[in-house]
Amino acid sequence: MHWNLFTVLESDLSSISRFIEFDERNFATFSTELSKLLLSIGSEVDVVFKQLCKVVDEDARRKNIVDYHKVLSENDCIKSILTETVSIPRFGIEINPFEEWDADTRPQWWKSYNKVKHDRQENYHEASLENVLRSLAALMLCVFYLKKLSNSTSTNKEVTSMLQPKSQLLRLKEEYYYSNVVV
């Protein structure tokens, strides 16, 4: 279910690349379409975070991103998510969506998602290409780890092969795939 929504959101983002070049020089670009995507992706990340935390520690508090960080960072089976990267080979982009996330600091894309969600008029510019790319990378990692934890005996390659249809834009580490063919 989550992977299917990820692929729909990824397809929507991919179509935007016909109008906005995915390049760091355009990362501050914002639009109504990017706003729609940021809100959809951020909401799905929140849902998957809750499920991830429940799988890792059923009794853990999971009300907000502070709770999510505590669960994720304190459990060996999942804390590697915080250092994972996602690439967009077609545009030569590599993203670590959780790089600035710690107990006191939220990822910028998450802060922007909340600003747009709660006060779109004032924070419309926060729905930027960079925040959408980072949030989608975060969603990909969350769904991958949820699938991995749900199939604990499977290798990373087996997990990525279960995620169908294949991602068309974003890519996890190459060693997570059976084929070295880059999308």
Side-chain angles (χ1 to χ4, degrees):
M1 175 172 61
H2 299 296
W3 186 254
N4 288 339
L5 182 53
F6 165 81
T7 61
V8 168
L9 294 167
E10 181 190 47
S11 177
D12 289 349
L13 180 59
S14 184
S15 70
I16 289 174
S17 71
R18 294 180 11 223
F19 308 101
I20 304 169
E21 185 70 20
F22 290 6
D23 183 286
E24 287 185 20
R25 294 170 290 185
N26 287 332
F27 274 9
T29 302
F30 57 94
S31 71
T32 303
E33 190 66 19
L34 289 170
S35 176
K36 178 185 83 170
L37 280 171
L38 183 63
L39 292 170
S40 296
I41 296 166
S43 177
E44 185 67 3
V45 168
D46 192 38
V47 168
V48 179
F49 269 150
K50 283 181 183 0
Q51 288 186 308
L52 265 173
C53 291
K54 184 176 182 178
V55 169
V56 171
D57 182 353
E58 190 169 327
D59 298 324
R61 179 181 157 91
R62 46 189 186 278
K63 298 287 184 195
N64 57 44
I65 196 162
V66 174
D67 295 340
Y68 309 153
H69 185 271
K70 183 172 175 46
V71 173
L72 299 177
S73 65
E74 292 180 357
N75 289 277
D76 290 337
C77 63
I78 190 148
K79 69 180 174 184
S80 61
I81 193 173
L82 301 174
T83 58
E84 288 272 7
T85 59
V86 173
S87 64
I88 308 174
R90 183 169 135 201
F91 297 101
I93 296 171
E94 189 163 300
I95 299 168
N96 175 339
F98 304 124
E99 67 188 336
E100 73 256 10
W101 192 17
D102 61 34
D104 301 315
T105 307
R106 313 299 163 255
Q108 182 57 50
W109 62 265
W110 182 265
K111 291 188 267 188
S112 294
Y113 156 68
N114 275 291
K115 286 178 180 179
V116 172
K117 180 173 72 168
H118 294 295
D119 189 0
R120 195 166 313 133
Q121 177 111 10
E122 190 67 29
N123 298 296
Y124 179 63
H125 65 282
E126 298 274 349
S128 68
L129 177 61
E130 179 176 18
N131 287 326
V132 171
L133 291 171
R134 289 185 174 281
S135 64
L136 191 61
L139 179 57
M140 183 183 212
L141 286 169
C142 288
V143 174
F144 170 79
Y145 272 84
L146 182 60
K147 188 76 166 175
K148 183 177 174 174
L149 290 174
S150 300
N151 296 276
S152 59
T153 60
S154 297
T155 67
N156 289 337
K157 289 179 181 182
E158 290 168 335
V159 172
T160 56
S161 70
M162 291 180 216
L163 298 173
Q164 297 293 326
K166 293 196 179 306
S167 171
Q168 297 301 304
L169 185 64
L170 277 66
R171 192 136 172 105
L172 298 167
K173 292 179 184 174
E174 283 305 312
E175 60 264 23
Y176 290 6
Y177 298 94
Y178 282 115
S179 171
N180 287 331
V181 177
V182 177
V183 179

